[in-house]
Amino acid sequence: MNSKRVTSIFRRITVCLIFLGGSLTAQPYDTPPFLSSSVVSSGNFEIGGKKYYLAELSYSSLSPNDYYKQKSKFEEYLEASFALRGATRTIDSLAADFFVRVTVNYGDASSEYFQLTNKKWESREPANEAHLYNPSGDKSDIITVTETHKGKTYVVNGKLRYPKTSKSCFKQISVEAYSTAGGTERTLFTSEAFEDKGDFKFLSPDEFMLFALSGSYGRKIKEKRLVVAPSDVYYNLFKNLEPGLSLCYSPDGVSSSKKVGLFLIEKKSDKLVLVIEDKNCLALDDKGRDIVPSLRVGDKIINSTKVSYGVPHIIFTRLLTIEFPAIEGDVEKIDLIFHKPGRADKPKYSITG
């Protein structure tokens, strides 16, 4: 997928200078399993309007027979993720504003655990005749390792115990952007998506992890774990690479809370949709949570027409979708505010430009 193809796919991406607001209507949630990915990022670099050159792609696949097909598709989603932020790929390295190095890795780790006598504390794998320490720092009972026809067992105070085995499979996508000057590389930003599950088959696909990564390029994110339903409309627009996509990522606004941020903007002729990342800060669907979102345009307050979450209240970051009527004319500044009904003059949370 070359840069012209990306431009065609996202030809209606617009530059949105928006700052945020909302209100909640009851709706049934999607049901598990949900897609999830942890994202961390460092750096401060604006990629909008710039060209990048894919200098290196180290791709791993769990299906050797589909390796080249999967790698090609991964490149398409990678381009799309940058296109949503206003950056386009170039095949001419001399024309690039920055370079990108990408790595996709899989791995697994197995470990054995055992319970101390009549306690739920778990310790690390013991050495023979060793005194171990449980997580509280107290000395445990004497534990002996024995090999039997069934494999390794533990003898704890004369009682035979079999270890518990746990397996963790992980997937990691790392994106590093850098510039070169005088033959020296300078890192501009690094973004990483990571997920671990009990089996490889439960790990999220490339397209979701890149969807989660897109908003992190060039930004500092300590860590977020985004959880989305597979049927989420915006994830599926990205997943299916819909032509004429009217989506764009937000410019950098100023949020009153590090747990609230603008993720996506969709502009249509009849409505404006803001997709918010809510890390248990707003929780508008919580019982008794009497907060609504609104747009503040100058001295005018515009109420939302629909507010919804795709997944129930969980401890990770989820997407809050807020719809507003279309805004006519040129607007210099818009704020999204969250406030008690009838008290837009005293917002509790806001995102301003």
Side-chain angles (χ1 to χ4, degrees):
M1 185 164 128
N2 57 33
S3 59
K4 291 184 178 180
R5 173 61 175 160
V6 173
T7 302
S8 174
I9 288 177
F10 297 104
R11 63 181 180 275
R12 290 177 59 192
I13 290 177
T14 54
V15 177
C16 304
L17 300 176
I18 307 286
F19 316 109
L20 343 152
S23 78
L24 189 65
T25 56
Q27 91 291 335
Y29 301 113
D30 286 326
T31 56
F34 301 125
L35 297 166
S36 67
S37 181
S38 290
V39 175
V40 295
S41 185
S42 62
N44 182 17
F45 182 71
E46 177 55 54
I47 69 173
K50 294 184 172 63
K51 296 180 181 180
Y52 70 93
Y53 178 78
L54 183 58
E56 183 181 341
L57 172 56
S58 178
Y59 187 80
S60 299
S61 171
L62 297 177
S63 303
N65 293 336
D66 297 326
Y67 173 82
Y68 292 105
K69 180 181 178 180
Q70 290 179 353
K71 183 179 179 181
S72 176
K73 201 66 177 176
F74 179 89
E75 288 193 45
E76 292 185 20
Y77 288 118
L78 180 67
E79 290 189 30
S81 70
F82 274 101
L84 282 174
R85 289 290 305 280
T88 56
R89 180 179 176 181
T90 177
I91 58 174
D92 180 4
S93 61
L94 297 178
D97 297 301
F98 65 99
F99 300 82
V100 172
R101 181 183 292 121
V102 183
T103 304
V104 181
N105 282 325
Y106 290 88
D108 68 85
S110 297
S111 55
E112 293 182 332
Y113 298 89
F114 61 95
Q115 289 184 329
L116 300 177
T117 53
N118 299 319
K119 297 179 182 179
K120 293 183 179 180
W121 291 325
E122 292 182 341
S123 182
R124 297 172 183 170
E125 184 175 345
N128 291 341
E129 302 291 348
H131 283 285
L132 301 179
Y133 291 84
N134 58 47
S136 70
D138 299 325
K139 187 177 290 187
S140 74
D141 300 315
I142 294 178
I143 301 169
T144 305
V145 179
T146 304
E147 292 288 345
T148 70
H149 66 284
K150 291 185 177 181
K152 186 185 297 182
T153 62
Y154 299 107
V155 178
V156 182
N157 284 355
K159 295 182 180 180
L160 188 66
R161 294 176 179 271
Y162 292 94
K164 295 180 178 180
T165 302
S166 92
K167 183 176 181 181
S168 176
C169 300
F170 70 85
K171 179 179 179 181
Q172 181 182 52
I173 297 178
S174 299
V175 179
E176 178 190 6
Y178 61 94
S179 63
T180 58
T184 302
E185 289 188 7
R186 181 173 72 91
T187 298
L188 302 174
F189 67 85
T190 57
S191 296
E192 180 182 291
F194 180 86
E195 187 188 6
D196 62 320
K197 292 288 179 65
D199 195 292
F200 287 115
K201 65 183 178 182
F202 299 123
L203 294 174
S204 293
D206 293 341
E207 54 267 30
F208 175 74
M209 297 183 76
L210 287 170
F211 175 73
L213 266 177
S214 296
S216 72
Y217 298 147
R219 297 175 177 175
K220 183 178 180 180
I221 298 176
K222 187 174 182 180
E223 183 177 10
K224 71 175 182 183
R225 186 169 184 84
L226 181 65
V227 178
V228 168
S231 62
D232 181 86
V233 61
Y234 294 102
Y235 165 57
N236 277 278
L237 283 172
F238 180 84
K239 176 182 177 181
N240 296 317
L241 296 175
E242 291 286 347
L245 206 60
S246 57
L247 297 176
C248 69
Y249 279 91
S250 71
D252 289 330
V254 178
S255 175
S256 62
S257 171
K258 293 181 179 180
K259 295 184 177 181
V260 181
L262 179 59
F263 186 58
L264 281 173
I265 300 173
E266 181 183 21
K267 295 181 69 176
K268 289 189 173 182
S269 60
D270 61 336
K271 65 181 178 180
L272 173 69
V273 184
L274 303 181
V275 183
I276 310 301
E277 289 183 325
D278 179 12
K279 190 177 181 181
N280 284 341
C281 180
L282 303 173
L284 299 186
D285 52 345
D286 272 9
K287 187 176 182 179
R289 186 67 164 158
D290 195 18
I291 295 180
V292 296
S294 299
L295 286 182
R296 184 167 57 197
V297 185
D299 296 328
K300 185 179 180 181
I301 298 297
I302 301 176
N303 296 324
S304 61
T305 56
K306 183 180 179 181
V307 181
S308 61
Y309 289 101
V311 298
H313 191 177
I314 49 183
I315 63 175
F316 304 120
T317 304
R318 54 184 178 152
L319 299 182
L320 169 64
T321 302
I322 310 174
E323 296 184 9
F324 294 96
I327 299 176
E328 301 295 335
D330 295 329
V331 179
E332 291 186 0
K333 182 179 179 181
I334 299 176
D335 299 330
L336 174 60
I337 58 175
F338 295 89
H339 57 91
K340 287 189 174 182
R343 299 306 307 269
D345 58 320
K346 292 186 177 182
K348 290 186 172 295
Y349 307 101
S350 65
I351 302 181
T352 62

